[in-house]
Amino acid sequence: MRDRRYAHPFRDLRAKLQDATSVCVLTGAGMSAESGIPTFRDAQTGLWANLDPMQLASEEGFRADPQRVWDWYQMRRDGVRQAEPNAGHVALARYAARHPGRMTILTQNVDDLHQRAAARAGEGARIVALHGSILADRWLDACPRGEDLMRRPCEPARAEPGRPPRCPDCGNRLRPGVVWFGESLDYRDLTAAEEAASACDVMLVVGTSGSVWPAAGLAARARHAGAHVVILNTQASEIDDEAHIVLTGSAATLLPRLLDPL
Ligand code: BV8
């Protein structure tokens, strides 16, 4: 445990979390690792072992080989559907339910596990899915009917099965409802995230390598706004310098110790 100035980092941090008015939590793939979802770092197993996830997770990659990318997302979706929130997700959700309106979760994960934990614990946290959801589909291209005010745009639910599914009327293809590399985040989500990072007393940064932007920049934004920044990770990350405390350990073990029951 590489704590910089605190004799009892856990006790001090629990005290800070007790008195905080606004807590922001930035999470990455490591948050869901103990739910059995591979992180991006170790995602490439089996069929996709030698493929660059950033190539697959891009519009260019999808247009180059829609079937391969669609299959990759189907494989990941199956894993996400079988996964369950882990003790880390549950600890965050329960803390938030006990302190309604105090916590904002900014997640890079597309697995809906924070949302599922919150649904069970009782809503409490605002959850911003910065990179979308892998369980939501949308059209790849703008629906040609969209221009014609007299006709409703084609419904994704009516897409004919396929890899990827296609619209029976205009041939449009479905794509996963995630933010691909090279694509901008939804400005409402990014604005909400930046506001939460700038307004929080404490920011917990959990299970992220800090290698993907603009999400990685939210820790520095919180620090510069005066927040107490704490990193929880099994290894060193690219944004450790933004932290007041770095706690080495797993999300499902550290978060319950930090948050239960407060
Ligand atoms: C954009 C959805 C405008 C898809 C994802 C500035 C500088 C450099 C590059 C850029 C920049 N600005 C923009 C870029 C380009 C790019 C980028 O950041 N590239 C990087 C790779 C250099 N960013 C973008 O393209 C973004 N869009 O900026 O638009 C624009 C466009 C073009 C050019 C300029 C501006 C869009 C980024 C979003 C992409 N979509 N996901 C899908 O999932 O299929 S990103 C995806 O990868 C995840 O969502 C996540 O964000 C990222 C993976 O990172 P982590 O979550 O941190 O996971 P990782 O595997 O890396 O690490 C796991 C960590 O967990 C490790 O630290 C490990 O130690 C730890 N760990 C493991 N187990 C545990 C644990 N910790 C605790 N407990 C455990 N049990």
Side-chain angles (χ1 to χ4, degrees):
M1 180 177 311
R2 291 194 307 282
D3 49 30
R4 309 234 164 134
R5 280 159 294 173
Y6 305 88
H8 303 287
F10 267 92
R11 199 182 56 201
D12 301 335
L13 199 43
R14 282 172 71 91
K16 274 187 192 314
L17 288 161
Q18 179 104 12
D19 312 336
T21 52
S22 162
V23 176
C24 195
V25 186
L26 174 65
T27 68
M31 179 77 228
S32 298
E34 292 153 286
S35 296
I37 298 179
T39 68
F40 251 64
R41 243 119 260 266
D42 55 26
Q44 301 317 95
T45 54
L47 275 183
W48 286 275
N50 52 14
L51 293 167
D52 170 4
M54 287 168 210
Q55 186 46 33
L56 290 166
S58 70
E59 182 174 343
E60 190 197 342
F62 185 79
R63 289 189 188 279
D65 190 336
Q67 187 170 317
R68 179 176 64 170
V69 173
W70 184 261
D71 292 351
W72 183 57
Y73 277 97
Q74 285 302 81
M75 180 271 290
R76 292 175 59 196
R77 274 192 244 254
D78 297 344
V80 162
R81 288 200 184 93
Q82 282 145 31
E84 283 295 320
N86 61 53
H89 295 106
V90 173
L92 289 169
R94 288 184 176 156
Y95 174 92
R98 282 194 299 275
H99 306 284
R102 183 188 288 189
M103 180 176 276
T104 302
I105 297 176
L106 310 174
T107 189
Q108 299 169 76
N109 301 340
V110 295
D111 56 33
D112 289 7
L113 290 179
H114 285 299
Q115 293 86 338
R116 278 189 249 169
R120 293 175 193 162
E123 303 300 339
R126 177 178 187 185
I127 300 172
V128 180
L130 295 165
H131 297 162
S133 167
I134 201 170
L135 299 176
D137 290 335
R138 59 183 152 95
W139 292 126
L140 177 65
D141 299 305
C143 172
R145 282 190 176 187
E147 284 95 44
D148 174 344
L149 297 174
M150 302 315 292
R151 297 203 298 166
R152 282 155 35 77
C154 304
E155 285 297 323
R158 292 186 53 250
E160 285 172 339
R163 298 156 59 203
R166 273 179 177 275
C167 175
D169 305 325
C170 68
N172 209 341
R173 286 171 289 186
L174 280 188
R175 56 159 288 176
V178 297
V179 178
W180 277 332
F181 287 94
E183 286 183 334
S184 302
L185 279 57
D186 180 305
Y187 78 92
R188 288 162 298 198
D189 295 334
L190 189 53
T191 307
E194 290 172 343
E195 284 168 1
S198 304
C200 64
D201 312 302
V202 179
M203 173 177 272
L204 303 178
V205 180
V206 185
T208 183
S209 58
S211 62
V212 171
W213 293 75
L218 294 165
R221 176 181 282 268
R223 175 151 187 150
H224 296 134
H228 189 68
V229 177
V230 181
I231 286 186
L232 290 74
N233 198 308
T234 48
Q235 297 171 40
S237 81
E238 295 177 21
I239 51 177
D240 280 8
D241 291 349
E242 302 304 339
H244 294 92
I245 300 184
V246 175
L247 301 177
T248 304
S250 87
T253 51
L254 290 176
L255 287 168
R257 285 184 59 196
L258 268 180
L259 298 171
D260 294 359
L262 272 181

